[in-house]
């Protein structure tokens, strides 16, 4: 067995119905997230020994130091491993609403108000070309939160940003229920956002 095991989804596959359907959740977790886990294990073994003893998050944050022969694979599978782990946990049953706490304040400071943030996040994430993710991130340089779209499975950590809230817009995340209607999926997804988790991540990042 490799170093990495498939992270758990902290609720039942049907918990996010009707916004994210159970069949999509099951396939997304047991097939797609498993594939990133397997790919990460396969490629981790190809890293230099000193790098293998490091934490995945440190390796992603220093992706340019990964030997070129495996850099693309670690970026892809390592990002996919971490992104999905974050994704399951930044959703919950009966989520959504307008966040308070530190995250509410940080969003208001960066975007003006919550509705402006939501609109910007939605518009830019719907517009991601091909496969990728929309993220609310914490930028340690400015100490503010910001929006960042990332291609494929590339983690915001590779750009020195701390991921707070992620939305997977690969077709595998929504096609069974929404087909080509990505915007409908994005609209529905706001109902399952776990703002308590996002607030915790911001507190940890600050
Ligand atoms: Mn996915």
């Amino acid at each position: 067995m490799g170093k990495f095991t498939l992270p758990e989804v902290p609720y039942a596959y049907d918990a996010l119905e009707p916004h994210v359907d159970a069949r999509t959740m099951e396939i997304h977790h047991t097939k797609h997230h498993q594939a990133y886990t397997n790919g990460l294990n396969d490629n981790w073994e190809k890293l230099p020994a000193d790098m293998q003893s490091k934490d995945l998050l440190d390796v992603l944050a220093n992706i340019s130091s990964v030997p070129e022969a495996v850099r693309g694979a670690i970026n892809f599978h390592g990002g996919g491993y971490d992104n999905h782990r974050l994704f399951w946990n930044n959703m919950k049953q009966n989520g959504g609403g307008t966040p308070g706490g530190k995250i509410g304040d940080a969003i208001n400071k960066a975007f003006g108000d919550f509705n402006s943030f939501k609109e910007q996040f939605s518009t830019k994430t719907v517009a991601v070309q091909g496969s990728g993710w929309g993220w609310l991130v914490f930028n340690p340089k400015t100490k503010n939160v910001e929006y960042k779209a990332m291609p494929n499975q590339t983690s915001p950590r590779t750009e020195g940003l701390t991921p707070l809230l992620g939305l997977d817009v690969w077709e595998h995340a929504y096609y069974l229920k929404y087909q080509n209607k990505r915007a409908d999926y994005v609209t529905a997804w706001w109902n399952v956002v776990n703002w308590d988790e996002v607030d915790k991540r911001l507190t940890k990042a600050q």
Side-chain angles (χ1 to χ4, degrees):
M1 204 166 94
K3 175 184 169 93
F4 299 96
T5 54
L6 180 66
E8 285 182 15
V9 174
Y11 39 77
Y13 290 135
D14 65 358
L16 308 182
E17 293 268 9
H19 310 295
V20 183
D21 64 288
R23 184 79 178 128
T24 296
M25 278 298 301
E26 183 180 358
I27 295 171
H28 201 172
H29 181 236
T30 63
K31 306 297 181 188
H32 294 275
H33 200 183
Q34 183 70 61
Y36 301 121
T37 304
N38 297 345
L40 178 58
N41 278 321
D42 291 346
N43 287 283
W44 196 264
E45 290 174 6
K46 299 171 190 167
L47 291 174
D50 62 322
M51 204 172 270
Q52 286 190 35
S53 65
K54 288 186 179 169
D55 190 274
L56 170 65
L57 303 192
D58 295 334
V59 172
L60 289 175
N62 297 285
I63 195 74
S64 61
S65 65
V66 174
E68 205 174 343
V70 284
R71 191 182 305 151
I74 292 291
N75 183 63
F76 184 78
H77 296 289
Y81 180 87
D82 184 45
N83 290 344
H84 287 85
R85 178 170 59 175
L86 291 163
F87 184 52
W88 311 136
N89 285 285
N90 68 220
M91 298 189 288
K92 68 171 186 179
Q93 190 171 36
N94 302 320
T98 304
K102 281 187 183 179
I103 190 64
D105 292 343
I107 285 172
N108 290 342
K109 186 182 172 198
F111 299 92
D113 56 50
F114 180 68
N115 282 334
S116 301
F117 156 72
K118 195 171 162 183
E119 191 182 321
Q120 197 179 130
F121 186 107
S122 296
T123 302
K124 289 181 173 172
T125 304
V126 169
V128 167
Q129 291 186 333
S131 298
W133 291 70
W135 290 99
L136 177 70
V137 298
F138 176 73
N139 185 333
K141 287 183 184 142
T142 63
K143 306 283 179 206
N144 286 321
V145 298
E146 54 192 61
Y147 176 84
K148 185 77 185 173
M150 297 298 294
N152 299 306
Q153 295 296 352
T154 300
S155 168
R157 301 186 199 277
T158 62
E159 299 196 6
L161 303 166
T162 306
L164 302 176
L165 171 65
L167 173 52
D168 186 347
V169 289
W170 281 57
E171 282 188 346
H172 68 228
Y174 62 88
Y175 206 84
L176 287 180
K177 181 177 172 76
Y178 295 95
Q179 294 82 49
N180 61 316
K181 298 184 284 288
R182 184 189 278 180
D184 291 357
Y185 159 66
V186 171
T187 299
W189 173 81
W190 290 106
N191 294 301
V192 296
V193 171
N194 182 349
W195 286 113
D196 292 338
E197 173 67 18
V198 180
D199 193 55
K200 271 187 217 158
R201 289 177 190 171
L202 176 62
T203 300
K204 198 178 162 195
Q206 280 173 332

